[in-house]
Amino acid sequence: MAEEQQKRNWEELPREVTELILSKVGPIYVLMSAQDVCKKWYRICQDPLQWRTIDLRNNNDMRDSFLRSLCCEAVDRSAGQVVDINVEYFGDDDLLEGMSQLELEISELRTELFSFKYNLSGMSNRLSSNAFDMFFAYSTFRTRYWLKPLKNFPLLEELVLTLDNFSSRCFIDLQSRCPHLRTLKVNRQGYNTDVQPPDHEVTEASYNDVSLTIAHFLPELRHLQLIGNPMTNMGLEAILDRCRQLESLDLRRCLNLNLEGELGIMCRENIRHLRLPHDSIEDLGYAAASPNEAHPPSSINELENT
Amino acid sequence: MSSSSTTTTTTRLLMLKASDGVTFEVEEAVATKLGAINNMVEEEGSEDLICLPNVNGKFLGMVLEWCKKHANNNTNSDKGNDEVNKWWDKEFVMDLDQNTLYHLLMAADYLSGTELVDLLTEKVASMIRGKKVEEIRETFKIKSDFLPGQEEEIRKKNSWAFE
């Protein structure tokens, strides 16, 4: 036993095991402390390949400005190798702008085999109303700038937006700008804040704004997740009608839907992986960690009764 | 797929010999969860005794215990088994002392037990998250090998993070 004690030396783990450990530690604690432990760890943390995935989700106990500087540092270190980035809950206009510009720089390094997954979850409530228009304005700009790469490279395959309020305008024309987009997740976090004041005129069309726009402009989607979307049967019908290649559809917490009738049958028949409004959302992790979960969202019917 | 059902019914037993001479008799289906052993079985074919000079009996035993659990849980493949495996994994790593964790990780890596390496590295990562540099060094008994001054320089470079 004493011999084993002596032999234990964490610095002597094979490099790839240490790399795996540090990538599991995640960018926040790597940058805050782990990288400074010893030379070997420091060197590993300078390797761009170590930064292919940048997941900055956290338990909401850190200042947003701090997380934003961590994010910039992490993106910087990736030197163009980043394929998946998650800035859930703290992204804002400036960060988006910064990342868009960084992307311009790294575009040249991309190869045909390189797929890009751009995860912009959780801009949350604090996002100013035009930030998304801005992101997509940047995309437009990039499309012009990157006309060739966008046609030849699978640039954007998956887009994840976790937002409470944004304009459905960002889906207009998205397909032609991101021809390889196959997975779209548009999830609401504080979905029960959807309840409008009683005197507020709510029309069915406004509930279906997002679903109708997606149905119309993104018929090529294979995977669609719309957690907490206020759509009614009207919106879902449009999606089923237009997006004929859908393999998976996640309708959890879409509580304005009534799937007891024919529409429900149609869903079950046509969609291989279907999640229903009342299915468990436990597996969603941070994205679903809504403090309001204890109070189920109101439906239109309840609204009308008030 | 279905034609192979006859071969799975006869379970071949392998003898694994650890560095300290301890031997384990294991079903092939269990041992081949380890990439290294799987390769040896495929290469050498008929050889039933496999010597593993880099792993001692205690840790080989633990690795095999893990393999056995996962091989058993995977045979009746319904959805609930994922949960069972997860729960069992949690128990498995919960009370590992650091010394065992280290040697087990070395053994799992040497034997190419990818899933087990995954589990153990996550455990190590969870012991690093949230700690300060000094606390990490203390936990893992790692001595700073930076030159005097070098560390300060790095700290200064990273000082933006702590403003």
Side-chain angles (χ1 to χ4, degrees):
Chain A
M1 197 65 203
E3 192 195 337
E4 281 165 13
Q5 286 287 0
Q6 276 175 355
K7 276 199 293 185
R8 166 166 56 100
N9 184 353
W10 288 92
E11 288 153 279
E12 279 167 21
L13 276 181
R15 183 181 161 110
E16 60 282 7
V17 178
T18 312
E19 282 172 356
L20 190 58
I21 292 171
L22 288 169
S23 71
K24 283 176 189 232
V25 167
I28 297 176
Y29 292 110
V30 161
L31 290 172
M32 278 173 72
S33 54
Q35 62 173 354
D36 297 335
V37 166
C38 62
K39 271 189 194 165
K40 186 179 176 186
W41 290 22
Y42 184 79
R43 250 178 262 128
I44 288 173
C45 297
Q46 302 294 323
D47 182 354
L49 288 176
Q50 195 69 16
W51 300 90
R52 287 169 60 86
T53 298
I54 302 175
D55 186 347
L56 288 148
R57 287 178 295 179
N58 63 91
N59 295 324
N60 289 326
D61 53 357
M62 287 173 203
R63 274 182 296 127
D64 289 359
S65 55
F66 174 64
L67 287 166
R68 275 180 224 127
S69 8
L70 286 183
C71 182
C72 292
E73 174 72 16
V75 170
D76 227 29
R77 291 227 188 150
S78 77
Q81 299 288 339
V82 56
V83 286
D84 186 358
I85 180 161
N86 193 325
V87 293
E88 204 165 292
Y89 303 147
F90 65 90
D92 69 353
D93 299 18
D94 290 342
L95 187 67
L96 280 182
E97 191 179 333
M99 287 201 292
S100 306
Q101 281 163 358
L102 278 166
E103 258 201 84
L104 278 177
E105 286 163 26
I106 64 181
S107 66
E108 307 303 321
L109 295 169
R110 228 161 262 153
T111 72
E112 254 169 306
L113 292 170
F114 211 79
S115 73
F116 195 78
K117 195 175 140 199
Y118 202 28
N119 189 339
L120 279 170
S121 342
M123 296 302 183
S124 197
N125 296 320
R126 267 166 292 104
L127 187 77
S128 72
S129 62
N130 67 352
F132 261 81
D133 296 341
M134 216 176 86
F135 168 63
F136 288 97
Y138 270 99
S139 305
T140 315
F141 167 66
R142 285 187 308 191
T143 312
R144 235 177 273 141
Y145 188 83
W146 277 359
L147 203 56
K148 205 167 157 240
L150 261 183
K151 275 193 175 156
N152 292 336
F153 297 90
L155 183 71
L156 192 75
E157 295 179 342
E158 173 170 342
L159 183 64
V160 184
L161 310 172
T162 307
L163 280 166
D164 283 352
N165 268 310
F166 67 101
S167 150
S168 63
R169 261 185 305 160
C170 60
F171 301 121
I172 297 175
D173 204 27
L174 189 58
Q175 194 76 66
S176 59
R177 275 186 270 138
C178 309
H180 291 273
L181 187 70
R182 292 294 176 269
T183 304
L184 179 67
K185 300 181 180 183
V186 184
N187 299 332
R188 300 179 60 130
Q189 189 202 354
Y191 30 77
N192 55 346
T193 55
D194 194 34
V195 183
Q196 308 283 347
D199 59 337
H200 194 285
E201 266 298 298
V202 184
T203 63
E204 192 173 1
S206 77
Y207 278 105
N208 290 307
D209 181 28
V210 168
S211 48
L212 292 176
T213 316
I214 290 174
H216 192 264
F217 288 99
L218 296 164
E220 297 288 325
L221 288 178
R222 303 293 192 277
H223 308 280
L224 180 60
Q225 185 176 65
L226 293 167
I227 291 172
N229 190 280
M231 73 173 130
T232 65
N233 284 18
M234 181 205 240
L236 181 57
E237 269 164 29
I239 288 173
L240 291 179
D241 188 45
R242 293 271 308 168
C243 308
R244 292 299 179 92
Q245 302 182 71
L246 270 190
E247 289 163 27
S248 73
L249 179 60
D250 190 340
L251 301 168
R252 283 177 289 175
R253 298 304 177 271
C254 296
L255 299 179
N256 292 329
L257 288 174
N258 178 357
L259 296 178
E260 272 160 30
E262 232 168 86
L263 187 61
I265 298 172
M266 239 172 87
C267 277
R268 285 183 194 91
E269 276 176 0
N270 292 311
I271 309 290
R272 206 171 337 145
H273 303 285
L274 180 70
R275 308 296 296 266
L276 297 166
H278 291 282
D279 285 356
S280 160
I281 52 169
E282 259 174 44
D283 58 309
L284 289 173
Y286 293 94
S290 165
N292 306 318
E293 177 60 358
H295 316 282
S298 303
S299 68
I300 285 188
N301 299 337
E302 282 170 37
L303 263 182
E304 281 167 355
N305 295 337
T306 48
Chain B
M1 277 287 206
S2 57
S3 61
S4 64
S5 59
T6 45
T7 52
T8 52
T9 48
T10 51
T11 44
R12 181 184 168 196
L13 290 176
L14 296 174
M15 287 290 273
L16 304 184
K17 193 171 172 193
S19 61
D20 49 0
V22 183
T23 54
F24 295 86
E25 201 178 40
V26 212
E27 286 176 20
E28 186 179 2
V30 172
T32 48
K33 280 193 83 69
L34 302 165
I37 294 186
N38 194 32
N39 287 346
M40 285 182 221
V41 169
E42 273 172 14
E43 273 169 29
E44 291 160 34
S46 56
E47 198 67 60
D48 284 347
L49 177 72
I50 294 174
C51 292
L52 300 164
N54 286 338
V55 196
N56 97 10
K58 179 184 164 190
F59 303 112
L60 180 58
M62 289 181 79
V63 170
L64 291 173
E65 185 197 350
W66 183 89
C67 291
K68 209 180 279 178
K69 229 6 168 224
H70 277 252
N72 284 346
N73 287 344
N74 286 346
T75 45
N76 33 342
S77 57
D78 66 80
K79 231 180 168 183
N81 270 308
D82 266 1
E83 292 299 310
V84 176
N85 279 344
K86 255 190 231 164
W87 179 84
W88 198 84
D89 280 352
K90 219 169 145 186
E91 294 281 299
F92 186 72
V93 295
M94 184 137 60
D95 299 318
L96 289 182
D97 65 79
Q98 236 207 80
N99 192 48
T100 313
L101 182 58
Y102 175 82
H103 289 285
L104 204 52
L105 182 51
M106 286 294 249
D109 180 56
Y110 168 70
L111 296 165
S112 315
T114 322
E115 283 171 72
L116 183 55
V117 169
D118 216 48
L119 176 71
L120 296 170
T121 48
E122 177 53 45
K123 169 76 178 173
V124 179
S126 76
M127 293 161 72
I128 294 173
R129 269 182 234 123
K131 287 199 173 77
K132 296 199 174 81
V133 181
E134 294 301 333
E135 291 169 335
I136 298 170
R137 284 187 190 141
E138 175 62 32
T139 307
F140 296 96
K141 302 280 178 286
I142 297 173
K143 283 208 182 85
S144 168
D145 52 358
F146 291 109
L147 296 169
Q150 220 174 18
E151 194 170 350
E152 257 169 64
E153 208 177 295
I154 288 165
R155 286 267 165 99
K156 216 179 280 170
K157 221 177 86 193
N158 295 334
S159 62
W160 53 270
F162 306 98
E163 273 160 18

